[in-house]
Amino acid sequence: MRGAKSAKWVVGAAVVALAATACGSGESSDTKAGGSNDGIVRAWWGDPQNPLEPANTNEVQGGKVLDMIFMNLKEYDPRTGKANLEAADSITTTDQQNFTIKIKPNLKFSDGTPVTASSFVDAWNYGALVTNKQLNSYFFADIDGYDAVHPEKEGTAPTAKTLSGLKVVDDHTFTVKLNQKFSTWPDRLGYKAFAPLPKSFFTDHAGYLNKPVGDGPYKVVSYTKGSSMKLVPNPYYTGPSKPKNKGVLLKVYTDSSTAYADLQAGNLDVLDDIPAEDLSHAKTDLNGRYLNQPAGIIQTISFPLNQKAWNAPGMDKVRLGLSMAIDRKTITQKIFQGTRTPAGDLTSPVLGAAGGYSANLAGEATTYDPAKAKALIQQGGGIPGGHMTIGYNADSGSHKQWVDAVCNSINNVLGDNKACVGAPTGTFADFRNQITKGEMKQPFRSGWQMDYPLIDDFLTPLYATGGSSNDSKYSNPQFDALIKQANAEPDTAKAVQTYQQAEKLLFKDMPVIPLWYQNGEAGWSSRVSHVTENAFSYPVFTDITVNNG
């Protein structure tokens, strides 16, 4: 497992919280919306970390837009999460290693140019090439020839610019050769790193970044960083999710409380980041216009295993003891009003038992046991230096609340009110930059929103050696071998069992502390109807209707 450093990161504690300042003044005529009859949905948003290239977007705010403007070979059913063919007419294989992909005819991008087999092959080659520095390049590591375009050793020049495993057969057909058998690989193809790209991406890259072009239900009309993005229905879109509104105005906020006030005042229509302090009364405040449902999100605390102090002999006991010192049940009830569920594994309940979820796989590692927790921490040599911090981004008030609560729980177990304290960083972007550069020296908050509803997505990117989002820098050859074995297993049930064998190793090594599964929440104004969320906790914008719009 190797690849560039990437990460599909949950921004905030209450489903992605980059919080907020309302888009203030200075909106252009393109970005104004909210008239009683304009049919435009006004929704909460945070600026993406990076420009909206599919292979370079691995956080939820950018992902929210990519979901609206791209149609992949497969798309995930918003209700069940099942991967269904969408841009693809068929994906076939006889050996789980060589695939033939046929795309539907007459598909077009929002600029009117055709979607062809080359649109996918060129996009995937671009995403994989190391010199393009795409955060999601790791997702192409299963395709033959990845070693040549993306050498494992950092700083090494590629010996090829395209993946040898990709071949264009004709305008509507291409083949893929993987470097090993991978039975569930086609179900990955709904993740937006695998989106097609128009020719303009390569001929006018700056123009594309200013106004991304996709083949999905919406097209981008305008984008002003720090303010808003306006999207309208894509007239060339022929898929099954045609918008039932006249567009969406995504408004940037830097404080979720401000957004919640705007929602109550009728200045915002959809908010999928309800502040923690408002969860207990949101349903009443909004006269029932509120949803709270399971989502494919888990919150964790990661240990920086690239730091000797946290990876020395005995530290596995300390890490386990710290996990057992956290009273998850009380924290989820007191702070999150039951919108979080204490974690018993490292996946999500939305996978179901057949998909690899297990409420008890972690065993005692997630059981609150103050006496044993203290004993383990002492047996392991104690917290390095006798003091630890938990890093978090401060642009969401919810993080401070739960980090303080976790530290209080640890301090109570150790009988030392200074053993653990929170360590805020101003913004999510700055926080993530420290992590991706490997600069964290103390434990830090981490969260994962699934890219696709398979157990391997909760394990491989996060814990495989060199995994795209392996922020703890964990490495265990036995874990890597089990992941490869599971990938190659054609029987899904047997594959899931093998993935779970790998997952059990994580509760022995404890590179992270599982905290809780996170629900998706949203509140909406009386101006809109039919607001739902998919299994990824994104609002299903295409289904939202504007009353009298």
Side-chain angles (χ1 to χ4, degrees):
M1 304 298 170
R2 62 182 66 169
K5 307 297 178 271
S6 99
K8 183 67 176 295
W9 249 70
V10 179
V11 180
V15 182
V16 193
L18 237 191
T21 328
C23 4
S25 58
E27 290 179 301
S28 69
S29 57
D30 273 349
T31 61
K32 289 179 179 177
S36 59
N37 298 312
D38 68 1
I40 302 291
V41 179
R42 305 162 301 176
W44 171 87
W45 193 43
D47 269 322
Q49 182 184 12
N50 298 307
L52 293 174
E53 298 171 295
N56 203 35
T57 297
N58 59 4
E59 42 75 34
V60 291
Q61 298 305 331
K64 182 182 289 184
V65 176
L66 296 185
D67 258 21
M68 300 168 75
I69 66 171
F70 281 104
M71 175 172 63
N72 277 26
L73 295 167
K74 284 193 168 189
E75 290 288 333
Y76 302 112
D77 185 289
R79 283 163 288 280
T80 66
K82 181 183 177 184
N84 298 315
L85 294 176
E86 202 138 315
D89 214 14
S90 64
I91 302 175
T92 56
T93 183
T94 58
D95 60 2
Q96 286 80 50
Q97 187 166 3
N98 292 279
F99 294 83
T100 298
I101 297 174
K102 291 183 177 295
I103 64 172
K104 291 176 179 173
N106 303 318
L107 299 179
K108 291 184 178 180
F109 290 101
S110 60
D111 62 359
T113 57
V115 177
T116 67
S118 294
S119 305
F120 288 94
V121 170
D122 292 347
W124 297 7
N125 280 326
Y126 181 89
L129 187 61
V130 66
T131 51
N132 290 330
K133 299 178 180 179
Q134 299 289 283
L135 291 170
N136 287 328
S137 58
Y138 172 82
F139 281 88
F140 306 101
D142 302 296
I143 298 174
D144 216 30
Y146 184 76
D147 288 351
V149 302
H150 202 121
E152 183 172 14
K153 186 177 180 182
E154 198 162 333
T156 302
T159 57
K161 291 187 175 180
T162 58
L163 293 158
S164 59
L166 297 178
K167 303 289 185 187
V168 174
V169 177
D170 57 41
D171 277 355
H172 297 100
T173 309
F174 67 102
T175 60
V176 182
K177 180 182 180 182
L178 303 182
N179 48 35
Q180 66 169 354
K181 292 184 177 182
F182 195 164
S183 57
T184 59
W185 180 78
D187 284 351
R188 283 186 166 196
L189 300 178
Y191 182 49
K192 294 308 174 189
F194 295 99
L197 286 170
K199 287 188 181 299
S200 62
F201 178 89
F202 304 99
T203 59
D204 180 14
H205 196 211
Y208 170 90
L209 296 181
N210 184 49
K211 188 185 292 187
V213 174
D215 63 338
Y218 290 96
K219 72 171 186 178
V220 177
V221 173
S222 61
Y223 173 38
T224 304
K225 188 174 177 59
S227 177
S228 62
M229 173 179 281
K230 185 176 181 180
L231 304 101
V232 299
N234 172 10
Y236 297 104
Y237 175 72
T238 57
S241 303
K242 293 184 178 178
K244 297 174 182 174
N245 49 63
K246 295 179 182 176
V248 178
L249 178 67
L250 297 174
K251 302 175 67 173
V252 174
Y253 285 81
T254 54
D255 175 69
S256 51
S257 295
T258 304
Y260 188 68
D262 262 5
L263 178 67
Q264 291 181 287
N267 298 321
L268 185 72
D269 294 321
V270 179
L271 173 61
D272 55 315
D273 177 30
I274 306 294
E277 60 269 27
D278 295 309
L279 288 171
S280 63
H281 50 83
K283 189 172 183 179
T284 301
D285 290 347
L286 300 171
N287 292 322
R289 298 187 304 276
Y290 170 76
L291 66 81
N292 173 24
Q293 63 186 45
I297 303 173
I298 185 169
Q299 292 285 349
T300 54
I301 294 172
S302 292
F303 292 99
L305 300 184
N306 58 332
Q307 302 296 324
K308 186 177 179 180
W310 283 102
N311 203 17
M315 279 299 108
D316 53 339
K317 290 184 178 179
V318 174
R319 298 191 297 266
L320 176 60
L322 289 170
S323 179
M324 297 178 69
I326 299 171
D327 186 355
R328 295 166 179 78
K329 182 178 179 181
T330 298
I331 293 172
T332 54
Q333 289 178 343
K334 297 285 187 183
I335 294 180
F336 294 115
Q337 309 297 320
T339 60
R340 309 290 187 275
T341 302
D345 74 351
L346 281 164
T347 69
S348 165
V350 301
L351 296 182
Y357 164 68
S358 170
N360 304 305
L361 194 81
E364 68 171 8
T366 54
T367 301
Y368 179 53
D369 186 336
K372 189 165 186 178
K374 185 174 184 178
L376 282 166
I377 293 169
Q378 290 175 338
Q379 289 169 20
I383 294 173
H387 174 78
M388 64 178 280
T389 61
I390 297 176
Y392 65 92
N393 53 300
D395 49 6
S396 165
S398 301
H399 291 315
K400 174 174 171 50
Q401 292 178 35
W402 71 256
V403 168
D404 286 349
V406 165
C407 277
N408 286 338
S409 190
I410 292 170
N411 291 343
N412 288 338
V413 165
L414 295 177
D416 178 355
N417 63 11
K418 296 182 179 178
C420 176
V421 297
T425 295
T427 67
F428 174 69
D430 288 344
F431 180 60
R432 282 300 305 161
N433 286 335
Q434 291 177 41
I435 294 169
T436 53
K437 291 178 181 176
E439 295 175 347
M440 303 301 281
K441 300 185 184 307
Q442 289 285 332
F444 52 93
R445 85 158 191 91
S446 43
W448 185 252
Q449 176 178 319
M450 65 182 185
D451 303 312
Y452 43 87
L454 297 171
I455 183 175
D456 99 86
D457 188 48
F458 284 90
L459 301 178
T460 308
L462 297 161
Y463 309 111
T465 301
S468 57
S469 298
N470 188 344
D471 291 335
S472 64
K473 315 303 178 189
Y474 174 70
S475 180
N476 182 334
Q478 189 180 358
F479 177 90
D480 295 343
L482 285 167
I483 292 294
K484 284 188 175 182
Q485 182 182 333
N487 288 346
E489 174 56 59
D491 184 292
T492 301
K494 291 180 180 177
V496 167
Q497 290 175 4
T498 307
Y499 283 125
Q500 288 182 321
Q501 288 179 38
E503 185 183 355
K504 287 179 180 177
L505 293 176
L506 301 175
F507 297 111
K508 173 177 174 290
D509 297 337
M510 294 300 292
V512 300
I513 293 175
L515 292 175
W516 39 77
Y517 311 117
Q518 184 167 314
N519 281 8
E521 307 129 5
W524 58 94
S525 73
S526 60
R527 184 173 171 270
V528 298
S529 301
H530 305 102
V531 178
T532 60
E533 285 190 343
N534 60 22
F536 303 88
S537 80
Y538 290 143
V540 184
F541 286 108
T542 53
D543 284 351
I544 298 175
T545 57
V546 179
N547 303 327
N548 300 318

